[in-house]
Amino acid sequence: MRTTVSSRPGALARPSSAWIGWGQWIALITMTLDHVTRYLLPEAWHADWVGSSLGRIAFPLFAGMVAWHALFNTRDPMRYARRILIIGLIAQLPYLTMPRDGFQWNICFTLTLGLYWGSWLRKLTRRDATTTWRITLPVLVGSLLVWLWLGPWMEYGHQGLLLVPAYMLAIHALHRASETPLERLSSLAASLPLLLTAGLMNHSSMAKSFTVATATVVLLMAIGASQRIPAIGYRMPRRLWLAWYPAHFAAIAMLLYLVPDLAR
């Protein structure tokens, strides 16, 4: 597929998004494996390795796809964020029935706030230089305070809230990189916050390696690898994509209710 140029003023040229079709299936499968092994399988099965390996692919992949859509495939990132928020609201009740310590907002809220934050900051930095520094600096300081306050309440915490904005920064820089050494170097430097955030998200070395590897693959898509990914043969039905997150939590909650011995 060839790269197309967006009709929006100041928008980025739009690369192929064929990889998203593959990413959706991988994200849902790895997320489901993570949750099934965490909440339903007995500890005697020793399946915890799934959550520390394959299960660490889902969130960075979801965040990468959200950032990609925000940059290339939607005219209104805020409206896109609201759709994710609606899914999160529907999923929150069954999500809270999962065994956990204390209250927490599910991953959709983490993605929504990250998308709001990244889109807002990107919009501010596209203004003229004088306005940018006069407005962006206070906004950035205020948003960091909000980030510090909200982090403990969100799934994946402070690092999770940073992931979508870090993706947006890195993908934007890598996609726009030209042939000059200085611009290529600056685009690579823009990837460091993302890789650092991905590396800090987990505790075990195995989990860190899977998270960083997933983020790296998404960055390769921005560099140009997306043009080499063929379209998937069977695209995920839209209704399945929208309903799976709350539905699979509801199914797990029902099983935990019917078979209480499954609860850890």
Side-chain angles (χ1 to χ4, degrees), residues 69-89:
H69 280 310
L71 290 171
F72 304 121
N73 296 334
T74 181
R75 293 180 179 272
D76 188 351
M78 299 302 182
R79 182 180 178 185
Y80 176 41
R82 289 193 293 271
R83 290 202 299 267
I84 301 174
L85 180 60
I86 291 171
I87 297 173
L89 289 170

Side-chain angles (χ1 to χ4, degrees), residues 188-206:
L188 290 175
S191 303
L192 295 180
L194 170 65
L195 297 177
L196 179 61
T197 301
L200 292 173
M201 281 177 54
N202 300 288
H203 299 292
S204 71
S205 298
M206 179 185 290

